[in-house]
Each structure stands twice: as structure tokens, then as C-alpha cells.
Amino acid sequence: TTWDIDMINSNETGFTGEGVYIAVLDTGLAPNWKDYFPQDQIAAELGKGFKEICVWDKKVGDFVETGKMVETTFIGDLGSTHGTHVTSTILGYNYYAPADALSGYPLPAIHIQGIAPDAIIIPIKVLADYQVPGSSGKVVFGTSDAVAAGINYATDLYLAGYSPMVITMSLGGPELSDVEKDAIDRAIDAGVIVVASAGNEGAEGMGYPGAYAPVISVGSCGWTKEWLNAEGNPFYRLWWLQSDFYDFNDVPEDSVALAEQVYISDFSSRELAGQELDIVAPGSWVRGPYPGVPGYSHLPWWSNGWGWLVGRNPGNFYYLGGTSMSAPHVTGIVAQMLEKNPSLLQSEVETILKTTALDILPGSADIWDYSAAATITWDSDATGAGLVQADLAVGAVP
């Protein structure tokens, strides 16, 4: 298990998300997804992509939507493997980093535990690559129409019998379009549970659809002992891995002690008037598969890693930080809750998550931010109901 699982106790519930479908609306999955995930847990036959045709407008220097939608594969484009990383938090993933061994930390190929390892992932690509004319660079984004199409597709699957279901969206924008709102309302009314990231805009406020009140929105928190070893010395490479062999900084079970080790990420979007931040979950320094550039340069987990060590490969595991990483933690817990009681409704799930959360009071914390010490400060507009606690939430499910 890892620091983030340890912090939310998701491995202590007795549930694994078995029988629950999770529609991950994101960038799809990397072409080498089978290197990371058990094939039985990815519903490849249900995977799909939605991309709105956008054209480059020289006058405004940006893309313009055309309203024309095309259906594509769920396999991601070259610009980002964001959706692969998000999925890894839910399912877990095969891990082997030869750089660990090179740094003097021998670590065999292992499987990192996920929040809901027995859930079935339906990969739905709604964020796609767009080529900037006159440039070799690509930008990755999705339009409101594409996101709404993905939501409606997932809802259609739910109505066809793929239930219970959670839709998770680690994406967002500055406003909620009518087409997205209608799709979300339809999903929730049908019985689908909808979770979304709060955004990474800090004091600028939350993004949508996370800020839309019916959605379960998730902000980001971190651990004050990140990058430290047992003696408190910084830059310890395997701090993130909590196990019988690397149990150096285990988070205490005592809730007061745990609350004192939690900080709210400075990037995590704060709640503005008219917005609703529900809960926070681990979102800083979350390790996961993230194949490097160019393209999908990667190493299968079972390889000997020489391409990485001699610099021919940029690596295939990275730390990412963002509410994009927080949302799948809560999604996995919701899957556990639905395994216990598939009839739960959106409002019931949200209430249980919030009433069982660990209070995080306004405050500040000194942390080691990879290469330097930093002081992080937050107020009550950043905490929601507190830090999600899987064991308490699942235990409260009737």
C-alpha cells in the first residue's frame, strides 16, 4: 500500500468495489495499459471516445468549436496519459522502477494496491489531442459537448444494466454549460453517482462540473511527512511506499494525530460564494504510471529497465499532484460503498462521505516540497467537510 491509502484507510473496509462499474471520463488509456492493469478489470469492449472537431482561428489564436462530434477509440492520443494515472489510483498498478535500484533501494516488481481493485473500469475518452498549426506541439482538452457525450454514454450503459456505476471526472472549466448540466442531472436522476475534481486554481475558485452542487467535489490534501525518512531527513526516495518492508513513516491510526499530519494543497481550488466543495482526499505527490515523451515511450513493468537507466527512455512512473489525483480516491471509496449497497443514491453517498470525514481545521503546516522547505496555509474554504475516511464511510452504509 501507499501513503495515500494509509491516510484514508481504504484497505481496511473489507470491500474492493467488486461488481461496480466506474466510467473514467478523461484522456482514455495509454496504448500499453495492459502493462499496468489486470485486463479483466478494464471493460475494453465498452470503452469509447468522443471528440468535437475544432478548427484553429488565426484571428483569435485559439481553437474554435464546430459542433461536429466524432466517436473514437478509448486509446489515448500522444499528448497526455492523464487518464492512465487516474485509473491507477482506483485499480492499482504493476510497478517496477529501475531507478530505485540505481539509487540503492532494491525493489522487486510489485503490484501497488488500488482503492477499488475489483471494480470494472469503463474508459471514456473526452479529452483529446489537437494539433496547433505551424507547430509540432499538441494541446489536450475537451469541449462541453464532448464531456456531455461521455456522460450520456455512461448513463446509457447504466440504463442498459451496467450498474451500479460511478462517473469520475478529473477535469473542469470556468463555467458549467447547459449541455453538461443536463447530462449530469440525467445521470444522477437515473441513479449514477457522479464525482469530480474541484480544480487547481487555488484562491481563484473551483472549476465546473466540480463546483456544481449535486456533484461530489473533491479537493486536494497532502501529508506533512512527504519526502522524509523516519529521522525526518528530506529527500527519501521511497517515502511514498507504505508496506511491511518499507514501513518508515506509517500514519498513526489515532485520528487527532492524523489530522495534525494533513495539509491542504496550495493549488487546491478554494470554495467561492455559490460553489460547494464537499470533501478532500490525497492529491499531492501521487505515484502512478505516466509514460514519458516523446509519444508513449514506456517500459513494461516486467522489463529489466536498461533503456531507462541509460537515458533512452524517460521513464514510465511519475508523481502527479492535483485534484485530478484526489477525485479517484473518493471514486474508489464510493465503489466500495456501492458494493455494500448498490441502491445508494447520489445525495445519500454525499451525506455519508461528509458526515464520516475527518475534520481538518484551518491552519498551516511546514512541509518538504521535494527540493525545499515550504509553509502551506489554508482556511475553511479549502477543507470541505474534511478528509475522506473509507472505513468510516463504508461502515456507515446501511
Side-chain angles (χ1 to χ4, degrees), residues 82-304:
H82 185 274
T84 305
H85 196 289
V86 167
T87 300
S88 76
T89 294
I90 300 170
L91 288 186
Y93 58 97
N94 298 318
Y95 177 80
Y96 177 64
D100 288 332
L102 190 66
S103 300
Y105 299 104
L107 188 65
I110 57 176
H111 187 81
I112 300 299
Q113 184 172 335
I115 310 297
D118 291 327
I120 302 297
I121 299 294
I122 303 174
I124 303 176
K125 184 174 66 175
V126 297
L127 307 178
D129 277 12
Y130 292 86
Q131 181 71 49
V132 179
S135 170
S136 60
K138 294 177 181 288
V139 293
V140 180
F141 64 89
T143 67
S144 293
D145 285 348
V147 172
I151 295 171
N152 282 322
Y153 173 65
T155 303
D156 290 343
L157 289 177
Y158 173 85
L159 294 173
Y162 295 95
S163 64
M165 179 185 288
V166 190
I167 290 175
T168 187
M169 294 180 283
S170 288
L171 50 81
E175 59 186 12
L176 183 67
S177 70
D178 289 339
V179 68
E180 274 188 80
K181 179 181 180 300
D182 290 345
I184 292 170
D185 290 344
R186 176 176 179 253
I188 293 175
D189 289 345
V192 179
I193 310 301
V194 181
V195 178
S197 55
N200 302 327
E201 304 303 322
E204 297 300 314
M206 297 171 63
Y208 292 88
Y212 182 41
V215 172
I216 298 170
S217 56
V218 189
S220 171
C221 67
W223 182 27
T224 58
K225 296 185 181 297
E226 294 163 356
W227 293 103
L228 305 180
N229 64 12
E231 289 73 41
N233 298 318
F235 202 65
Y236 173 59
R237 183 177 182 88
L238 293 182
W239 67 270
W240 64 281
L241 189 58
Q242 308 290 312
S243 73
D244 293 338
F245 300 102
Y246 298 97
D247 194 15
F248 295 103
N249 291 307
D250 197 26
V251 176
E253 292 301 320
D254 181 79
S255 61
V256 176
L258 173 56
E260 293 174 350
Q261 295 185 63
V262 175
Y263 72 89
I264 301 297
S265 306
D266 54 358
F267 58 76
S268 185
S269 286
R270 273 53 176 167
E271 179 184 77
L272 300 181
Q275 298 181 337
E276 181 175 310
L277 175 61
D278 293 316
I279 206 160
V280 298
S284 67
W285 301 111
V286 178
R287 190 80 161 163
Y290 202 65
V293 293
Y296 278 121
S297 182
H298 71 276
L299 295 171
W301 69 274
W302 40 261
S303 74
N304 59 22

Side-chain angles (χ1 to χ4, degrees), residues 13 193 216 276 278-280 330 333-359 385-398:
T13 64
I193 310 301
I216 298 170
E276 181 175 310
D278 293 316
I279 206 160
V280 298
V330 172
I333 293 172
V334 173
Q336 293 189 13
M337 296 167 68
L338 290 175
E339 179 188 358
K340 183 177 180 181
N341 185 347
S343 66
L344 288 175
L345 301 177
Q346 177 89 2
S347 59
E348 296 172 322
V349 171
E350 180 177 321
T351 296
I352 291 172
L353 290 172
K354 294 167 75 169
T355 56
T356 58
L358 175 64
D359 287 338
L387 172 62
V388 66
Q389 295 291 278
D391 53 341
L392 300 181
V394 175
V397 171

